[in-house]
Short mmCIF file of all heavy atoms in Angstrom, two decimals:
data_model
loop_
_atom_site.label_atom_id
_atom_site.label_comp_id
_atom_site.label_asym_id
_atom_site.label_seq_id
_atom_site.Cartn_x
_atom_site.Cartn_y
_atom_site.Cartn_z
N ALA A 9 -4.10 -3.47 12.01
CA ALA A 9 -4.53 -2.11 11.50
C ALA A 9 -5.53 -2.41 10.45
O ALA A 9 -6.67 -1.69 10.41
CB ALA A 9 -3.41 -1.40 10.94
N CYS A 16 -14.22 -0.63 11.39
CA CYS A 16 -14.72 0.80 11.47
C CYS A 16 -15.49 1.11 10.20
O CYS A 16 -16.39 1.97 10.25
CB CYS A 16 -13.57 1.78 11.71
SG CYS A 16 -12.81 1.74 13.27
N ALA A 33 -6.71 4.32 16.18
CA ALA A 33 -5.92 3.23 16.65
C ALA A 33 -5.26 2.52 15.44
O ALA A 33 -4.09 2.12 15.46
CB ALA A 33 -6.64 2.26 17.47
N SER A 99 3.61 -6.42 3.21
CA SER A 99 3.99 -7.82 3.72
C SER A 99 4.15 -8.84 2.59
O SER A 99 4.95 -9.69 2.67
CB SER A 99 3.04 -8.29 4.75
OG SER A 99 2.95 -7.53 5.85
N PHE A 101 4.38 -7.89 -0.75
CA PHE A 101 5.20 -7.33 -1.80
C PHE A 101 6.19 -6.31 -1.25
O PHE A 101 5.90 -5.07 -1.29
CB PHE A 101 4.41 -6.67 -2.90
CG PHE A 101 3.37 -7.64 -3.58
CD1 PHE A 101 1.94 -7.50 -3.09
CD2 PHE A 101 3.69 -8.53 -4.46
CE1 PHE A 101 1.01 -8.36 -3.64
CE2 PHE A 101 2.75 -9.40 -4.97
CZ PHE A 101 1.42 -9.29 -4.60
N LEU A 179 -9.24 20.51 -2.43
CA LEU A 179 -8.26 19.36 -2.36
C LEU A 179 -7.38 19.32 -3.67
O LEU A 179 -6.22 19.16 -3.69
CB LEU A 179 -9.06 18.10 -2.18
CG LEU A 179 -9.67 17.82 -0.87
CD1 LEU A 179 -10.74 16.65 -0.95
CD2 LEU A 179 -8.65 17.52 0.17
N VAL A 195 12.23 16.90 -12.43
CA VAL A 195 12.78 17.29 -13.66
C VAL A 195 14.16 18.03 -13.52
O VAL A 195 15.17 17.83 -14.24
CB VAL A 195 11.75 18.20 -14.46
CG1 VAL A 195 12.44 18.73 -15.71
CG2 VAL A 195 10.66 17.22 -14.88
N TRP A 208 12.64 10.74 -20.22
CA TRP A 208 11.24 10.50 -20.46
C TRP A 208 10.92 9.01 -20.45
O TRP A 208 10.89 8.29 -21.46
CB TRP A 208 10.83 11.12 -21.89
CG TRP A 208 10.78 12.62 -21.81
CD1 TRP A 208 11.73 13.49 -22.15
CD2 TRP A 208 9.71 13.40 -21.35
NE1 TRP A 208 11.29 14.75 -22.02
CE2 TRP A 208 10.09 14.78 -21.45
CE3 TRP A 208 8.47 13.14 -20.78
CZ2 TRP A 208 9.33 15.83 -21.07
CZ3 TRP A 208 7.60 14.18 -20.46
CH2 TRP A 208 8.05 15.51 -20.61
N ALA A 245 -10.21 10.91 -14.07
CA ALA A 245 -9.33 10.56 -15.16
C ALA A 245 -7.85 10.89 -14.76
O ALA A 245 -6.92 10.11 -14.89
CB ALA A 245 -9.61 11.37 -16.36
#
Side-chain angles (χ1 to χ4, degrees):
C16 292
S99 299
F101 305 101
L179 288 168
V195 170
W208 286 97

